[in-house]
Protein backbone atom coordinates (compact mmCIF):
# COMPACT_ATOMS: atom_id res chain seq x y z
CA UNK A 1 0.00 0.00 0.00
CA UNK A 2 1.33 3.41 -1.01
CA UNK A 3 1.34 6.08 1.68
CA UNK A 4 -0.68 9.00 0.32
CA UNK A 5 1.10 11.33 2.75
CA UNK A 6 4.62 10.52 1.57
CA UNK A 7 6.59 13.69 0.66
CA UNK A 8 7.29 12.61 -2.92
CA UNK A 9 5.78 10.20 -5.42
CA UNK A 10 8.72 10.25 -7.83
CA UNK A 11 11.54 9.43 -5.39
CA UNK A 12 13.11 6.02 -6.01
CA UNK A 13 14.85 4.02 -3.27
CA UNK A 14 18.46 2.94 -3.84
CA UNK A 15 18.32 -0.67 -2.68
CA UNK A 16 21.85 -2.16 -2.61
CA UNK A 17 20.43 -5.67 -3.02
CA UNK A 18 20.11 -4.88 -6.74
CA UNK A 19 23.48 -5.26 -8.51
CA UNK A 20 23.03 -2.09 -10.57
CA UNK A 21 22.29 -0.03 -7.47
CA UNK A 22 25.21 -1.51 -5.56
CA UNK A 23 27.48 -0.80 -8.53
CA UNK A 24 26.62 2.89 -8.69
CA UNK A 25 26.92 3.32 -4.93
CA UNK A 26 30.48 1.97 -5.11
CA UNK A 27 31.41 3.53 -8.44
CA UNK A 28 30.15 7.04 -7.71
CA UNK A 29 31.83 6.89 -4.29
CA UNK A 30 35.06 5.77 -5.92
CA UNK A 31 34.70 8.58 -8.46
CA UNK A 32 34.27 11.10 -5.65
CA UNK A 33 37.41 9.92 -3.89
CA UNK A 34 39.43 9.48 -7.08
CA UNK A 35 38.63 12.87 -8.56
CA UNK A 36 39.11 14.61 -5.22
CA UNK A 37 42.56 13.04 -4.81
CA UNK A 38 43.61 13.78 -8.38
CA UNK A 39 42.48 17.40 -8.06
CA UNK A 40 44.32 17.72 -4.76
CA UNK A 41 47.52 16.38 -6.30
CA UNK A 42 47.18 18.83 -9.18
CA UNK A 43 46.07 21.95 -7.30
CA UNK A 44 46.80 21.33 -3.63
CA UNK A 45 43.59 22.99 -2.40
CA UNK A 46 41.87 20.61 0.01
CA UNK A 47 38.40 22.19 0.08
CA UNK A 48 38.30 22.89 -3.65
CA UNK A 49 39.47 19.35 -4.35
CA UNK A 50 36.80 17.88 -2.10
CA UNK A 51 34.13 20.05 -3.76
CA UNK A 52 35.27 18.87 -7.20
CA UNK A 53 35.17 15.26 -6.04
CA UNK A 54 31.63 15.67 -4.71
CA UNK A 55 30.49 17.27 -7.98
CA UNK A 56 32.14 14.48 -9.96
CA UNK A 57 30.52 11.78 -7.82
CA UNK A 58 27.12 13.43 -8.20
CA UNK A 59 27.66 13.79 -11.94
CA UNK A 60 28.44 10.07 -12.26
CA UNK A 61 25.39 9.16 -10.17
CA UNK A 62 23.01 11.45 -12.07
CA UNK A 63 24.25 10.09 -15.39
CA UNK A 64 23.51 6.57 -14.16
CA UNK A 65 20.08 7.62 -12.89
CA UNK A 66 19.22 9.19 -16.25
CA UNK A 67 20.23 5.97 -17.97
CA UNK A 68 17.90 4.03 -15.68
CA UNK A 69 15.05 6.37 -16.57
CA UNK A 70 15.66 6.17 -20.30
CA UNK A 71 16.02 2.39 -20.39
CA UNK A 72 14.54 0.89 -17.20
CA UNK A 73 14.65 -2.70 -18.48
CA UNK A 74 18.40 -2.70 -19.10
CA UNK A 75 20.70 -1.72 -16.20
CA UNK A 76 23.66 -2.01 -18.60
CA UNK A 77 22.57 1.24 -20.27
CA UNK A 78 22.98 3.14 -17.01
CA UNK A 79 26.22 1.34 -16.18
CA UNK A 80 27.84 2.17 -19.53
CA UNK A 81 26.65 5.78 -19.27
CA UNK A 82 28.09 6.24 -15.78
CA UNK A 83 31.44 4.80 -16.83
CA UNK A 84 31.44 6.84 -20.02
CA UNK A 85 30.98 10.17 -18.22
CA UNK A 86 34.29 9.73 -16.38
CA UNK A 87 36.37 10.77 -19.39
CA UNK A 88 34.45 14.02 -20.08
CA UNK A 89 34.66 14.90 -16.38
CA UNK A 90 38.42 14.33 -16.44
CA UNK A 91 38.86 16.41 -19.59
CA UNK A 92 36.32 19.22 -19.21
CA UNK A 93 35.10 19.14 -15.63
CA UNK A 94 31.76 18.23 -14.09
CA UNK A 95 28.48 18.58 -15.99
CA UNK A 96 25.79 21.05 -15.01
CA UNK A 97 24.38 19.25 -11.99
CA UNK A 98 21.24 21.35 -11.70
CA UNK A 99 20.34 20.69 -15.32
CA UNK A 100 21.10 16.99 -14.90
CA UNK A 101 18.90 16.87 -11.78
CA UNK A 102 16.12 18.74 -13.58
CA UNK A 103 16.35 16.26 -16.47
CA UNK A 104 16.01 13.37 -14.02
CA UNK A 105 12.99 14.86 -12.27
CA UNK A 106 11.22 15.77 -15.49
CA UNK A 107 11.80 12.28 -16.92
CA UNK A 108 10.34 10.72 -13.78
CA UNK A 109 7.24 12.84 -14.26
CA UNK A 110 6.98 11.61 -17.84
CA UNK A 111 7.96 7.97 -17.27
CA UNK A 112 6.29 7.47 -13.87
CA UNK A 113 8.93 4.86 -13.03
CA UNK A 114 7.66 4.73 -9.47
CA UNK A 115 4.28 3.74 -10.85
CA UNK A 116 2.71 6.90 -9.42
CA UNK A 117 1.76 10.32 -10.70
CA UNK A 118 3.75 13.25 -9.32
CA UNK A 119 2.08 14.55 -6.17
CA UNK A 120 1.45 18.21 -5.38
CA UNK A 121 4.82 18.67 -3.69
CA UNK A 122 6.64 17.15 -6.68
CA UNK A 123 4.72 19.38 -9.07
CA UNK A 124 5.46 22.56 -7.13
CA UNK A 125 9.15 21.72 -6.70
CA UNK A 126 9.72 20.85 -10.37
CA UNK A 127 7.71 23.83 -11.57
CA UNK A 128 9.75 26.25 -9.44
CA UNK A 129 13.03 24.59 -10.44
CA UNK A 130 12.08 24.67 -14.13
CA UNK A 131 11.04 28.30 -13.87
CA UNK A 132 14.27 29.37 -12.17
CA UNK A 133 16.50 27.43 -14.57
CA UNK A 134 14.49 28.76 -17.48
CA UNK A 135 15.09 32.32 -16.29
CA UNK A 136 18.71 32.08 -15.21
CA UNK A 137 20.06 29.54 -17.74
CA UNK A 138 17.84 29.19 -20.79
CA UNK A 139 14.14 29.43 -21.75
CA UNK A 140 14.66 26.06 -23.46
CA UNK A 141 14.31 24.48 -20.02
CA UNK A 142 10.94 26.12 -19.43
CA UNK A 143 9.85 25.12 -22.94
CA UNK A 144 10.90 21.48 -22.44
CA UNK A 145 9.09 21.39 -19.09
CA UNK A 146 5.99 22.75 -20.84
CA UNK A 147 5.95 19.84 -23.29
CA UNK A 148 6.52 17.24 -20.56
CA UNK A 149 3.86 18.64 -18.24
CA UNK A 150 1.31 18.93 -21.04
CA UNK A 151 2.03 15.36 -22.15
CA UNK A 152 1.58 14.15 -18.56
CA UNK A 153 -1.61 16.16 -18.30
CA UNK A 154 -3.24 14.38 -21.24
CA UNK A 155 -1.73 10.91 -20.79
CA UNK A 156 -3.66 7.87 -19.63
CA UNK A 157 -4.53 8.44 -15.95
CA UNK A 158 -3.62 12.11 -16.52
CA UNK A 159 -2.25 14.51 -13.95
CA UNK A 160 -4.54 17.44 -14.78
CA UNK A 161 -2.72 19.98 -12.62
CA UNK A 162 0.20 19.73 -15.04
CA UNK A 163 -1.91 21.35 -17.73
CA UNK A 164 -1.82 24.51 -15.63
CA UNK A 165 1.82 24.36 -14.56
CA UNK A 166 2.90 23.38 -18.06
CA UNK A 167 1.01 26.31 -19.54
CA UNK A 168 2.65 28.71 -17.08
CA UNK A 169 6.11 27.44 -17.97
CA UNK A 170 5.29 27.62 -21.67
CA UNK A 171 4.27 31.27 -21.27
CA UNK A 172 7.48 31.97 -19.35
CA UNK A 173 9.63 30.35 -22.03
CA UNK A 174 7.86 32.27 -24.80
CA UNK A 175 8.20 35.62 -23.03
CA UNK A 176 11.88 35.04 -22.28
CA UNK A 177 12.58 34.05 -25.85
CA UNK A 178 10.75 37.12 -27.20
CA UNK A 179 12.60 39.43 -24.82
CA UNK A 180 16.00 37.91 -25.58
CA UNK A 181 15.85 35.83 -28.80
CA UNK A 182 18.14 32.79 -29.08
CA UNK A 183 20.15 34.37 -31.86
CA UNK A 184 21.66 36.91 -29.46
CA UNK A 185 25.18 35.95 -28.28
CA UNK A 186 24.99 34.17 -24.97
CA UNK A 187 22.22 31.82 -25.96
CA UNK A 188 24.52 30.31 -28.56
CA UNK A 189 26.24 28.36 -25.80
CA UNK A 190 23.12 27.40 -23.88
CA UNK A 191 19.77 27.14 -25.66
CA UNK A 192 20.88 25.26 -28.81
CA UNK A 193 22.83 22.78 -26.75
CA UNK A 194 19.96 22.20 -24.34
CA UNK A 195 17.41 21.87 -27.13
CA UNK A 196 19.62 19.40 -28.97
CA UNK A 197 20.32 17.29 -25.89
CA UNK A 198 16.67 17.23 -24.88
CA UNK A 199 15.52 16.37 -28.43
CA UNK A 200 18.04 13.55 -28.72
CA UNK A 201 16.99 12.28 -25.27
CA UNK A 202 13.33 12.21 -26.27
CA UNK A 203 14.21 10.51 -29.57
CA UNK A 204 16.16 7.87 -27.63
CA UNK A 205 13.23 7.35 -25.28
CA UNK A 206 10.82 7.11 -28.20
CA UNK A 207 13.03 4.52 -29.90
CA UNK A 208 13.11 2.42 -26.73
CA UNK A 209 9.35 2.55 -26.33
CA UNK A 210 8.73 1.65 -29.97
CA UNK A 211 11.23 -1.17 -29.91
CA UNK A 212 9.62 -3.39 -27.28
CA UNK A 213 7.17 -3.54 -24.41
CA UNK A 214 8.57 -2.56 -21.05
CA UNK A 215 8.86 -5.27 -18.44
CA UNK A 216 9.81 -3.06 -15.48
CA UNK A 217 7.27 -2.38 -12.77
CA UNK A 218 6.68 0.77 -10.75
CA UNK A 219 8.68 0.92 -7.54
CA UNK A 220 5.67 1.82 -5.41
CA UNK A 221 2.69 0.55 -7.42
CA UNK A 222 4.15 -2.79 -8.60
CA UNK A 223 2.32 -2.33 -11.91
CA UNK A 224 3.90 -2.61 -15.35
CA UNK A 225 5.18 0.74 -16.59
CA UNK A 226 4.00 0.05 -20.13
CA UNK A 227 0.24 0.72 -20.25
Amino acid sequence: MVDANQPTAIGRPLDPSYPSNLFIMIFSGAGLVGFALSEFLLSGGALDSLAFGVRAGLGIFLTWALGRELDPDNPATATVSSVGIVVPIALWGTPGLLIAAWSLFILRVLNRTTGLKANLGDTLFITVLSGLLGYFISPAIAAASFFVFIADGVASNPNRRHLLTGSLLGIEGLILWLVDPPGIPGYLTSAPVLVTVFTVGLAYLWTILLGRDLESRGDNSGELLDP
Side-chain angles (χ1 to χ4, degrees), residues 97-116:
L97 296 181
L98 276 177
I99 295 177
W102 164 82
S103 301
L104 176 62
F105 297 146
I106 211 74
L107 278 174
R108 286 192 178 170
V109 168
L110 186 65
N111 290 357
R112 298 186 184 178
T113 40
T114 63
L116 303 174

Side-chain angles (χ1 to χ4, degrees), residues 90-172:
L91 293 176
W92 301 299
T94 55
L97 296 181
L98 276 177
I99 295 177
W102 164 82
S103 301
L104 176 62
F105 297 146
I106 211 74
L107 278 174
R108 286 192 178 170
V109 168
L110 186 65
N111 290 357
R112 298 186 184 178
T113 40
T114 63
L116 303 174
K117 296 187 291 186
N119 63 24
L120 180 59
D122 297 324
T123 298
L124 291 175
F125 173 76
I126 297 171
T127 300
V128 171
L129 178 63
S130 300
L132 290 174
L133 293 178
Y135 180 80
F136 287 107
I137 296 180
S138 168
I141 296 177
S145 300
F146 158 76
F147 286 113
V148 169
F149 274 151
I150 295 299
D152 193 56
V154 299
S156 58
N157 189 21
N159 197 336
R160 296 297 188 192
R161 73 168 69 96
H162 287 171
L163 295 176
L164 173 60
T165 55
S167 298
L168 292 174
L169 288 168
I171 292 171
E172 179 201 13

Side-chain angles (χ1 to χ4, degrees), residues 5-6 22 40 43-44 73 109 122 138 140 151 162 177-178 180 195:
N5 297 316
Q6 62 184 350
L22 180 61
F40 180 74
S43 67
D73 281 349
V109 168
D122 297 324
S138 168
H162 287 171
W177 239 311
L178 290 175
D180 196 0
V195 171

Side-chain angles (χ1 to χ4, degrees), residues 42-120:
L42 290 173
S43 67
L47 290 179
D48 288 342
S49 299
L50 178 59
F52 180 75
V54 170
R55 292 196 303 271
L58 287 173
I60 292 170
F61 177 81
L62 288 171
T63 301
W64 172 87
L66 285 168
R68 292 292 288 137
E69 291 299 315
L70 289 169
D71 196 1
D73 281 349
N74 293 293
T77 300
T79 300
V80 171
S81 300
S82 63
V83 173
I85 197 65
V86 170
V87 173
I89 290 176
L91 293 176
W92 301 299
T94 55
L97 296 181
L98 276 177
I99 295 177
W102 164 82
S103 301
L104 176 62
F105 297 146
I106 211 74
L107 278 174
R108 286 192 178 170
V109 168
L110 186 65
N111 290 357
R112 298 186 184 178
T113 40
T114 63
L116 303 174
K117 296 187 291 186
N119 63 24
L120 180 59

